[in-house]
């Protein structure tokens, strides 16, 4: 199976959160096929960049997308074809 | 012909610039180095086209300077776009090839075309062809061949270069 690129993973994660927001992080992991630890690290990163909002307790619980996250997702989707055609395998 | 060429060159410069801005905004949002690299690449292509436009509008002496510098910027753009060190290593010895910047422009844009697909592949193949035209023009004149056709060859090459960007702008209009 071909390994997914980081950008593709970000698009898939943001897309799922945008549709289901707010959603438990475990469901995002199931829906995107990512290991929970890996997803948690990515969500922390996206949270720091202001793209998603995490409601955290001792463990990650629920995640929702921000306005900046929606705008970035829209731009990523628009650029996806172009980047793929440029051979960047998004 | 020159008005049409000028309009196409201006449109292509604008497309490259807006693409560069889109990519830069994504770099700021996600912190991805790839977007910054591509943003720089497209801003260099845009500068190349702006210089080409200036060469169409300037006096003869200035025009020649702008014309040759425009290739330097486009070439820098292609180099930034190339992703593998192996490819750069393969291409770098050719820097000393005396055929000039346009010959390198042909090789680098040809390589980008080779690693791309769909409309991007076609557009960069056309860009490569246009650099070939630009490098052949002075060469043919220097050898005393086709002296009358040099201007047409150069104009045709510029037309192709701007047309390639225009096709990209239409196909990928959503990204700007």
């Amino acid at each position: 199976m071909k390994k997914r690129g980081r950008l593709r993973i970000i698009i898939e994660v943001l897309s799922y959160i945008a549709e289901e927001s707010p959603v438990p992080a475990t469901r995002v992991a199931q829906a995107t096929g990512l290991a929970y630890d890996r997803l948690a690290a990515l969500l922390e990163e996206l949270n720091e960049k202001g793209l998603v909002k995490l409601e955290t307790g001792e463990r990650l619980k629920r995640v929702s997308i921000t306005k900046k996250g929606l705008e970035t997702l829209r731009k990523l989707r628009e650029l996806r074809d172009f980047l793929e055609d440029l051979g960047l395998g998004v | 012909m020159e008005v049409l060429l000028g309009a196409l060159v201006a449109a292509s410069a604008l497309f490259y610039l807006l693409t560069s801005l889109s990519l830069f905004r994504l770099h700021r949002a996600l912190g991805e180095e790839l977007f910054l690299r591509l943003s720089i690449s497209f801003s260099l292509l845009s500068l190349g086209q702006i210089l080409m436009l200036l060469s169409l509008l300037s006096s003869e002496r200035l025009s020649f300077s702008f014309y040759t510098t425009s290739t330097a910027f486009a070439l820098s753009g292609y180099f930034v776009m190339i992703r593998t060190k192996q490819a750069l290593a393969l291409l770098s010895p050719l820097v000393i090839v005396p055929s000039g910047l346009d010959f390198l422009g042909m090789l680098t844009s040809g390589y980008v075309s080779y690693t791309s697909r769909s409309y991007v592949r076609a557009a960069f193949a056309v860009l490569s062809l246009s650099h070939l035209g630009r490098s052949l023009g002075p060469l043919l004149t220097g050898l005393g061949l086709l002296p009358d056709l040099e201007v047409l060859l150069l104009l045709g090459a510029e037309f192709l270069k701007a047309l390639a960007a225009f096709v990209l702008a239409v196909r990928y209009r959503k990204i700007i």
Side-chain angles (χ1 to χ4, degrees), chain B residues 44-141:
Chain B
L44 287 167
L45 289 179
S46 177
L47 274 172
Q49 289 303 84
I50 289 168
L51 287 169
M52 187 58 221
L53 188 62
L54 288 173
S55 86
L56 290 173
L57 302 172
S58 308
S59 63
E60 201 172 316
R61 192 189 297 175
L62 270 176
S63 174
F64 183 72
S65 299
F66 285 136
Y67 179 79
T68 44
T69 319
S70 72
T71 300
F73 277 96
L75 180 59
S76 312
Y78 303 141
F79 262 109
V80 176
M81 213 174 267
I82 291 174
R83 283 159 295 138
T84 63
K85 284 181 184 162
Q86 292 94 320
L88 285 175
L90 282 172
L91 289 169
S92 58
L94 297 165
V95 171
I96 55 169
V97 170
S99 305
L101 290 177
D102 273 305
F103 184 74
L104 268 177
M106 178 195 78
L107 289 175
T108 47
S109 55
Y111 182 78
V112 173
S113 168
Y114 172 73
T115 56
S116 305
R117 66 180 198 191
S118 186
Y119 282 79
V120 177
R121 168 171 279 188
F124 275 86
V126 171
L127 286 177
S128 180
L129 205 61
S130 80
H131 283 294
L132 176 67
R134 282 175 58 127
S135 63
L136 281 182
L139 191 69
L140 292 177
T141 307

Side-chain angles (χ1 to χ4, degrees), chain A residues 6 49 78-79 85 87-88, chain B residues 26 30 32 83 117 172:
Chain A
R6 180 177 148 80
K49 292 185 165 82
E78 288 167 357
L79 270 168
D85 288 349
L88 295 170
Chain B
L26 270 180
L30 289 168
E32 288 285 321
R83 283 159 295 138
R117 66 180 198 191
Y172 301 101

Side-chain angles (χ1 to χ4, degrees), chain A residues 3-16:
Chain A
K3 195 180 164 191
R4 283 179 295 179
R6 180 177 148 80
L7 284 175
R8 180 180 289 276
I9 291 172
I10 291 175
I11 291 172
E12 287 177 8
V13 167
L14 286 179
S15 298
Y16 187 76

Side-chain angles (χ1 to χ4, degrees), chain B residues 9-55:
Chain B
V9 171
S12 60
L14 187 65
F15 165 68
Y16 287 144
L17 183 67
L18 293 175
T19 303
S20 169
L21 287 174
S22 275
L23 290 160
F24 187 70
R25 276 198 292 270
L26 270 180
H27 163 68
R28 284 190 63 183
L30 289 168
E32 288 285 321
E33 180 264 347
L34 167 72
F35 289 136
L36 178 62
R37 199 153 51 84
L38 283 175
S39 172
I40 292 171
S41 192
F42 277 99
S43 61
L44 287 167
L45 289 179
S46 177
L47 274 172
Q49 289 303 84
I50 289 168
L51 287 169
M52 187 58 221
L53 188 62
L54 288 173
S55 86

Side-chain angles (χ1 to χ4, degrees), chain A:
Chain A
M1 197 165 92
K2 196 183 168 190
K3 195 180 164 191
R4 283 179 295 179
R6 180 177 148 80
L7 284 175
R8 180 180 289 276
I9 291 172
I10 291 175
I11 291 172
E12 287 177 8
V13 167
L14 286 179
S15 298
Y16 187 76
I17 299 171
E19 278 174 24
E20 307 288 328
S21 191
V23 59
T26 46
R27 264 184 47 204
V28 182
Q30 283 168 358
T32 56
L34 282 176
Y36 187 82
D37 288 350
R38 193 172 171 205
L39 175 76
L42 179 62
L43 289 179
E44 284 290 350
E45 194 186 320
L46 296 177
N47 183 48
E48 279 172 23
K49 292 185 165 82
L51 304 179
V52 299
K53 193 177 168 197
L54 289 174
E55 295 168 28
T56 51
E58 285 183 10
R59 283 178 62 84
L60 293 179
K61 283 181 183 167
R62 293 167 82 82
V63 56
S64 53
I65 195 158
T66 63
K67 195 177 165 191
K68 186 181 173 187
L70 278 174
E71 176 61 24
T72 302
L73 175 62
R74 186 182 65 80
K75 211 69 208 168
L76 278 172
R77 281 174 170 162
E78 288 167 357
L79 270 168
R80 184 163 48 188
D81 284 351
F82 180 61
L83 294 174
E84 280 181 352
D85 288 349
L86 202 50
L88 295 170
V90 175

Side-chain angles (χ1 to χ4, degrees), chain B residues 1-14 53 56 162 166:
Chain B
M1 175 74 175
E2 279 199 20
V3 174
L4 176 64
L5 178 60
L8 267 178
V9 171
S12 60
L14 187 65
L53 188 62
L56 290 173
F166 186 73

